[in-house]
Amino acid sequence: MFTFRRPKVRLEVPRLKPRGEALQLPRVNLAELTPALLPYLGQAAYIQLSLFESLSRIVTQAPTVAHKESLGPAAGQALDKHERLVAEIRRHVSDPAVIMQPFAAAIDDYREVVAGANWYEALTSLYVSAGILDDFFIHLAAGLENGSGPRMVQILDAESGRQAIATIVAEGIANDPKLGSHLAMWGRRVVGDTLLVARSAIHHTDNRNSDEQRIEPVFTEVIAAHTRRMDGLGLTA
Amino acid sequence: MFTFRRPKVRLEVPRLKPRGEALQLPRVNLAELTPALLPYLGQAAYIQLSLFESLSRIVTQAPTVAHKESLGPAAGQALDKHERLVAEIRRHVSDPAVIMQPFAAAIDDYREVVAGANWYEALTSLYVSAGILDDFFIHLAAGLENGSGPRMVQILDAESGRQAIATIVAEGIANDPKLGSHLAMWGRRVVGDTLLVARSAIHHTDNRNSDEQRIEPVFTEVIAAHTRRMDGLGLTA
């Protein structure tokens, strides 16, 4: 199979001292694993569309009008990210659907797997997957060609809807402590499936073992951020 | 039962000549039937939320990524109208859900009745109900207190998403002429249910017969606009 290969440019800056406990992102190595711009945009845009679909289902099934009301903006936020990413695709091709299509089946399957058996599970899934996937695509953006990375970060880093979800889940847990341990368990399962989606975004070189070693620190960082978000809900990640 | 009564102000301007074929809206009489501002906003906001929910379900179930893509903005548009109406409610009360709540059950029922048995029926329902209800609430806005009518018209008159729906339905009909006659029939049923929702928005005076006579010309006008929109799809209303 013919695959496009990105030029391997190494721009490593020697570090004299480790920066304390802070994780050092392997920016240059990650750049080699960053997909070309259009596949990156296609997958990121379809993921946001899928998050929007999950969120709008959550809005529809919300138990009260107040819940609908407070979650509406989160759905709008995902849709807005989707549309801004589609606008980026249109800078290069006229039919964005063609660029998103290759990712549709896998993301649709993922959405079904993490849909959850009830409303709180669905909400927790959304919180976990939006957090991890936005984060991961922000990391990948550092390696994008033509300096388009910062624009992608600006699009994906907006998260005005997340706090509403956190508040609602935290309220649910406060009212029912057993819900907390259940959702913590459910969240761990969602993390596994979500990391598979993240992994599918990587452009692989000829040396898969080395790819895995390079991506591992990024996953460690992404999961650390996920753990902090779960702490915010009072849940153990 | 205690109900708020709005002062009956007549500001009729004598008309010397009928304006050709153009329908004359009974603005002053309609003003008597316009609900107070908060119930108006509560019902209009919940209707837009409901249209958003229907649309996002339509996006989720769309047969292709291209269809999802072109319908996304329509969903965003309904959500945006909802949020702008909610912002109007917040100018007066801190909890918008309380103002929307009284309308939730009836609108939810309506949405279920017009949900449709398949994707094209759902799309046609949406097209019919968004068109009629936006229109009707724009007519009612003329009678709102404190001059807030024009702002409501500005919010409700935005319709950037409708063209995408029309294009998709028209394509479906072009590919399958039987679909056209089926959707025309389905559309007529949806009109009936939608006018019941519109009717439920009216503030009734002590004389229900006279209310009906006053509102009838508005319905005539709303249905004429609906017929033009259906013509745009190649469907007989």
Side-chain angles (χ1 to χ4, degrees):
Chain A
M1 199 180 76
F2 180 78
T3 52
F4 286 98
R5 192 77 55 76
R6 307 185 59 252
K8 301 185 183 192
V9 184
R10 292 190 174 275
L11 290 166
E12 275 172 303
V13 178
R15 293 211 183 283
L16 297 180
K17 299 176 188 175
R19 286 194 202 151
E21 296 281 72
L23 274 163
Q24 288 179 34
L25 295 183
R27 293 191 177 279
V28 176
N29 287 347
L30 189 62
E32 290 186 8
L33 302 179
T34 295
L37 182 60
L38 280 175
Y40 172 93
L41 286 170
Q43 189 169 16
Y46 198 81
I47 284 172
Q48 295 301 328
L49 182 60
S50 180
L51 294 173
F52 162 72
E53 292 177 13
S54 299
L55 261 167
S56 53
R57 193 183 162 92
I58 287 168
V59 169
T60 303
Q61 298 179 342
T64 73
V65 174
H67 286 98
K68 283 179 191 285
E69 180 40 39
S70 66
L71 291 169
Q77 183 69 30
L79 186 60
D80 187 58
K81 287 183 185 180
H82 165 71
E83 287 177 358
R84 291 177 70 188
L85 291 165
V86 166
E88 293 289 331
I89 297 175
R90 276 191 214 279
R91 293 160 73 114
H92 305 278
V93 297
S94 64
D95 186 358
V98 171
I99 305 301
M100 290 186 278
Q101 185 64 58
F103 306 101
I107 306 287
D108 288 352
D109 286 352
Y110 163 70
R111 182 155 57 89
E112 208 162 297
V113 167
V114 303
N118 59 52
W119 194 70
Y120 277 108
E121 282 187 11
L123 207 51
T124 305
S125 290
L126 197 284
Y127 185 77
V128 169
S129 51
I132 290 178
L133 292 174
D134 282 0
D135 236 28
F136 185 73
F137 276 82
I138 286 171
H139 278 275
L140 276 189
L144 285 174
E145 56 214 282
N146 301 328
S148 41
R151 221 161 48 236
M152 303 307 127
V153 172
Q154 206 187 17
I155 294 173
L156 291 171
D157 208 26
E159 51 146 4
S160 65
R162 193 177 292 155
Q163 191 49 52
I165 301 173
T167 304
I168 291 173
V169 174
E171 272 171 18
I173 293 168
N175 290 333
D176 176 6
K178 273 172 76 181
L179 181 66
S181 56
H182 176 77
L183 291 181
M185 203 161 62
W186 169 252
R188 277 173 223 124
R189 190 184 136 187
V190 173
V191 170
D193 289 309
T194 306
L195 291 180
L196 286 179
V197 173
R199 200 173 289 270
S200 76
I202 298 166
H203 168 84
H204 282 289
T205 67
D206 290 339
N207 186 340
R208 289 223 161 209
N209 273 343
S210 133
D211 292 351
E212 292 296 320
Q213 282 168 17
R214 281 172 186 154
I215 205 70
E216 214 42 50
V218 179
F219 278 145
T220 304
E221 170 79 358
V222 163
I223 289 170
H226 160 73
T227 303
R228 289 192 292 275
R229 283 190 298 271
M230 294 303 264
D231 285 347
L233 301 187
L235 292 184
T236 316
Chain B
M1 200 179 73
F2 180 77
T3 53
F4 285 98
R5 191 78 56 77
R6 307 187 58 250
K8 301 185 184 191
V9 184
R10 293 188 174 274
L11 291 165
E12 275 172 303
V13 178
R15 295 211 182 283
L16 296 179
K17 300 175 186 176
R19 287 194 200 151
E21 296 283 71
L23 276 162
Q24 289 180 33
L25 295 182
R27 295 193 175 278
V28 175
N29 286 346
L30 189 61
E32 289 186 6
L33 302 179
T34 295
L37 182 59
L38 279 175
Y40 173 93
L41 285 171
Q43 189 169 15
Y46 198 82
I47 285 172
Q48 295 301 329
L49 182 61
S50 181
L51 294 174
F52 161 72
E53 292 177 12
S54 300
L55 261 166
S56 52
R57 194 184 161 92
I58 286 168
V59 169
T60 302
Q61 297 179 343
T64 72
V65 174
H67 286 97
K68 281 179 192 285
E69 178 41 38
S70 65
L71 292 168
Q77 184 69 30
L79 187 60
D80 188 58
K81 287 183 185 179
H82 164 71
E83 287 177 358
R84 291 176 69 187
L85 292 166
V86 165
E88 292 290 330
I89 297 175
R90 277 191 213 279
R91 293 160 73 114
H92 306 276
V93 296
S94 64
D95 185 358
V98 171
I99 305 300
M100 291 187 279
Q101 186 65 59
F103 306 101
I107 305 287
D108 288 351
D109 284 352
Y110 163 70
R111 182 154 58 89
E112 208 163 297
V113 167
V114 303
N118 60 52
W119 194 70
Y120 278 109
E121 282 187 10
L123 208 51
T124 305
S125 291
L126 198 283
Y127 185 77
V128 170
S129 50
I132 291 178
L133 292 173
D134 282 1
D135 237 28
F136 185 73
F137 276 82
I138 286 171
H139 279 276
L140 277 189
L144 285 174
E145 57 216 279
N146 301 330
S148 41
R151 221 160 49 235
M152 302 307 127
V153 173
Q154 206 187 18
I155 294 173
L156 291 171
D157 208 24
E159 52 148 1
S160 66
R162 195 177 290 157
Q163 192 50 51
I165 300 172
T167 304
I168 290 173
V169 174
E171 272 171 17
I173 293 168
N175 290 333
D176 176 4
K178 275 172 75 180
L179 181 66
S181 56
H182 175 77
L183 291 181
M185 204 160 63
W186 170 252
R188 276 174 224 124
R189 191 185 137 186
V190 174
V191 170
D193 290 309
T194 307
L195 291 180
L196 287 179
V197 173
R199 200 174 289 273
S200 76
I202 299 165
H203 169 84
H204 282 290
T205 67
D206 290 340
N207 186 341
R208 288 223 161 209
N209 274 342
S210 132
D211 293 349
E212 291 297 319
Q213 283 169 16
R214 282 173 185 154
I215 204 69
E216 213 43 49
V218 180
F219 279 145
T220 304
E221 171 78 359
V222 163
I223 289 169
H226 160 73
T227 304
R228 289 191 294 275
R229 283 189 298 270
M230 293 303 262
D231 284 348
L233 301 187
L235 294 183
T236 315

